[in-house]
Amino acid sequence: MLSSSDRESKESRSDPSIHTVNKEEIAKFAAMSEEWWAPQGPFKMLHLMNPPRVRFIRNRLEASGATAGAMAKDGADPTRVASRKRFPLEGLSIVDIGCGGGLLSESLARLGAQVTGLDASNENIQMARIHAMKDPLLNGGGPGTLEYRHQTAEELLEQGRRFDVVCSMEVIEHVDNPAGFLKVLGELLKPNGDLLLSTISRTPMSYFLTIFCAEHLLRMVPVGTHHWSKFITPDELQVGVQDLAKCQVLCIQDIAFNPLSGQWELSKGLIGQGSSAEGGSVLSSIGSSITGPVNYLLAAKKVA
């Protein structure tokens, strides 16, 4: 949760004093690192969530003008136009903070982006590197590039790196200092860069679905994966992104698991400004109408 006092205290500190890594959380995910690419393993839900997350990212980067800006450099060259259709993120530098085993990083690189995958767990990074070696498209066979780093976001910032796009999916609810984390994410962006986040809202429904059902009842994810007190509501995240990351929030979109189809679906309705959405499940509609979204994604633009 992002309290006003937390925001003020972290904003007044210099960058070197910001520390966001929770060692217990890192150790927990490192212990499961060999399971990252097992579709039916402990990360099954992230495997299922990845396609709609990628669609959200593509849609938001198109809506924000990020892909058009990269495309403008190609001119009218028909070869480049054809390549752009296959690799719509070509020319964009993207950092995936908390990349884990590389589920999202690989997808973005296959779409042509220059991706840096960052994780505080060395075990996760090693597994991500091993898996990426299996795909020729990620090893010079396409315009996209993929580099993995065993680093924290703060360490990357200290090296002076800046990116067109900063992604951090299902991570902020696992850090020790979410306010400081948002500040670092904002500073990693180039002017007019795009910030894309996903997390879980702190509602009674989120406790019921993500902890009671998913962890204890159905064992869809390991017990202890989530801590309800660390979930962040859309309103809290929006304020934090605006005040700390210095980004304008463009949209917040609900994403929910549909038990009938066994898939994650983006909701039809958007919270805040936005573009067209897709899908929409019974579970999503019920969750949104009664308690607000459970899982949600946020897109924001760096204020130049």
Side-chain angles (χ1 to χ4, degrees):
M1 181 168 61
L2 296 169
S3 66
S4 57
S5 59
D6 192 28
R7 290 196 301 270
E8 291 168 0
S9 63
K10 300 302 183 295
E11 198 167 15
S12 64
R13 298 180 185 179
S14 59
D15 289 337
S17 71
I18 296 178
H19 302 283
T20 65
V21 171
N22 183 306
K23 293 183 179 179
E24 292 182 358
E25 292 287 309
I26 298 303
K28 179 171 62 182
F29 286 100
M32 299 184 288
S33 61
E34 293 186 359
E35 302 290 335
W36 268 107
W37 287 96
Q40 300 301 318
F43 299 108
K44 175 181 178 179
M45 297 305 283
L46 289 182
H47 278 266
L48 294 173
M49 188 183 285
N50 200 50
R53 289 196 309 192
V54 172
R55 288 196 296 274
F56 176 83
I57 291 170
R58 288 186 60 176
N59 290 342
R60 294 318 309 170
L61 293 181
E62 180 179 353
S64 75
T67 53
M71 190 183 304
K73 302 175 183 178
D74 297 338
D77 184 343
T79 303
R80 300 296 305 131
V81 171
S83 176
R84 177 67 62 178
K85 290 182 179 180
R86 183 181 177 189
F87 304 108
L89 303 185
E90 185 176 355
L92 292 177
S93 61
I94 301 178
V95 62
D96 181 13
I97 305 292
C99 66
L103 301 181
L104 180 63
S105 296
E106 285 197 9
S107 297
L108 299 178
R110 290 191 186 98
L111 293 174
Q114 300 164 11
V115 179
T116 299
L118 206 71
D119 203 279
S121 164
N122 187 49
E123 290 85 351
N124 287 345
I125 289 298
Q126 293 305 319
M127 183 55 61
R129 287 171 176 163
I130 290 171
H131 191 271
M133 291 174 62
K134 301 176 182 179
D135 188 346
L137 196 63
L138 303 176
N139 295 276
T145 61
L146 180 56
E147 172 195 19
Y148 285 116
R149 290 178 170 232
H150 173 218
Q151 266 187 325
T152 66
E154 303 93 275
E155 291 169 343
L156 186 66
L157 179 62
E158 290 175 2
Q159 295 176 349
R161 296 287 300 275
R162 298 294 184 274
F163 300 86
D164 298 314
V165 182
V166 171
C167 292
S168 189
M169 302 296 178
E170 311 299 322
V171 173
I172 194 170
E173 68 270 23
H174 297 288
V175 304
D176 262 354
N177 177 358
F181 185 67
L182 287 175
K183 188 173 187 294
V184 171
L185 296 187
E187 292 182 1
L188 282 169
L189 279 170
K190 295 178 180 179
N192 295 312
D194 290 88
L195 176 64
L196 299 158
L197 305 172
S198 71
T199 189
I200 307 172
S201 184
R202 192 179 63 261
T203 65
M205 183 66 79
S206 70
Y207 180 87
F208 175 73
L209 292 177
T210 64
I211 297 178
F212 177 74
C213 289
E215 292 188 16
H216 295 278
L217 184 62
L218 302 176
R219 303 286 176 166
M220 298 173 74
V221 295
V223 174
T225 297
H226 303 106
H227 301 282
W228 186 80
S229 63
K230 300 185 76 171
F231 292 172
I232 300 172
T233 68
D235 287 344
E236 291 168 345
L237 188 58
Q238 180 170 352
V239 171
V241 167
Q242 292 173 168
D243 293 352
L244 297 166
K246 306 301 181 184
C247 294
Q248 178 187 2
V249 174
L250 301 177
C251 88
I252 302 174
Q253 187 165 356
D254 182 8
I255 180 172
F257 183 71
N258 185 340
L260 300 180
S261 67
Q263 301 294 324
W264 286 88
E265 299 173 351
L266 295 169
S267 69
K268 292 182 178 179
L270 291 172
I271 303 170
Q273 303 176 26
S275 62
S276 61
E278 58 187 86
S281 68
V282 173
L283 183 60
S284 167
S285 300
I286 293 175
S288 295
S289 62
I290 296 177
T291 62
V294 175
N295 296 77
Y296 64 97
L297 302 107
L298 179 146
K301 193 83 169 173
K302 176 84 170 182
V303 179

